[in-house]
Amino acid sequence: MADQTNLLDVTIRDGGYVNGHSWTVAQATRLITACGAAGVPYAEVGYLRPDRHAVDGDRAPSASCPPGYLERAAEVAVGTDLVVMAHAKDATPKDLARLAGSGVRMVRMPTRPDRLADLAPYVDAAHGAGLTFAANLIRVSKLSEHEVAAAAKAVEELSVDIFYLADSNGSLFPEEVGRLFRLVRENTGTALGFHPHDGISMGFANSLTAMRLGATYIDASLSGMGKGGGNLSLQLITGYLCSRAQRKFSVAPLVETAAGILPPWKGDQIVSQCESIASGLLDLNMEDLAEIRAMDPNEVFSILERTSTVH
């Protein structure tokens, strides 16, 4: 299913838990621009909280997504659709309906199994505005199989466009992810997504399992920046899809942007970490990598983008 995978970048929204949602508009637009240059089709730009626009709209725009911030994001979103997340406690259906005019194309709402029915007016409002609606079932590692199956049936009845399973606690193993996705596939024809966390370093393996079993939307962030153990690395999953699934992504803009923006929170080893990802996917030894680096520091990423099969 790797040839059908849609990547959704969550650096701004989920990474905001790391930096207190303190992204400047310049940083956010640079991240969105990088997604467009890399061929990543979706970029999540924050939480929709209209009541907080006047409070943190200037200081932390991604924490509430005021109109001016969304309009600026839309100006640079070339080749990338903007996504916002909204909690029912923070936004009304009318708030969702207004999003289409500010360049947003998808809204996602986190939910528990017992609150799915509450999403009905939000789904209707989003569809009325021409928006894609995704329901994110949170903390799936804590749910019973009955709860997950019932939720899968409910989202289809609600006409939800994408049903996400979120490993919010970062505690799942591939076999557990496999069991969950087989279960939901048996109970719904809705498109499936997966939001991994990497608390026990299983984000990548879990995502491959989810993709193999029908998840066509996968969340990731630059250098895995996100709450808890972090997210799936966007550089890793784009590199994998380039080298193993002949997908057209450009890794270099992601590496450059991560190295330019994220060091205060992710350290100064971002480029070398990305080189390790590329050399692993390309099956290079250290001497090979050193020779390539000597020619051009970015050449290893260019090779990755040109490679459709790996020895």
Side-chain angles (χ1 to χ4, degrees), residues 73-214:
E75 290 174 2
V76 301
V78 178
T80 297
D81 285 345
L82 300 184
V83 182
V84 299
M85 183 167 279
H87 287 271
K89 64 183 176 62
D90 296 323
T92 67
K94 287 183 179 180
D95 293 324
L96 266 58
R98 298 187 188 103
L99 287 173
S102 53
V104 172
R105 295 291 174 264
M106 183 193 300
V107 61
R108 307 202 297 173
M109 295 191 72
T111 185
R112 303 192 309 263
D114 60 333
R115 303 304 297 269
L116 267 165
D118 297 342
L119 299 184
Y122 293 92
V123 177
D124 291 342
H127 287 167
L131 304 176
T132 298
F133 187 95
N136 288 26
L137 190 66
I138 61 173
R139 301 171 188 160
V140 293
S141 58
K142 293 284 192 179
L143 302 180
S144 69
E145 290 190 1
H146 173 75
E147 288 175 309
V148 174
K153 294 175 182 177
V155 295
E156 186 155 11
E157 294 173 0
L158 290 170
S159 298
V160 165
D161 298 298
I162 309 165
F163 180 43
Y164 265 88
L165 299 185
D167 182 17
S168 310
N169 296 342
S171 62
L172 292 177
F173 284 81
E175 59 268 26
E176 296 168 309
V177 172
R179 185 168 62 250
L180 287 170
F181 273 92
R182 290 187 187 95
L183 180 64
V184 296
R185 187 74 293 164
E186 292 170 358
N187 286 279
T188 186
T190 303
L192 301 179
F194 183 53
H195 179 82
H197 276 267
D198 207 33
I200 52 176
S201 300
M202 288 290 170
F204 182 54
N206 286 343
S207 296
L208 297 186
T209 300
M211 290 159 57
R212 179 171 56 83
L213 293 172

Side-chain angles (χ1 to χ4, degrees), residues 269-289:
Q269 299 299 310
I270 291 172
V271 173
S272 63
Q273 291 164 354
C274 292
E275 286 180 341
S276 295
I277 290 171
S279 63
L281 290 170
L282 294 170
D283 196 14
L284 301 174
N285 59 43
M286 295 302 295
E287 291 78 12
D288 294 334
L289 180 59

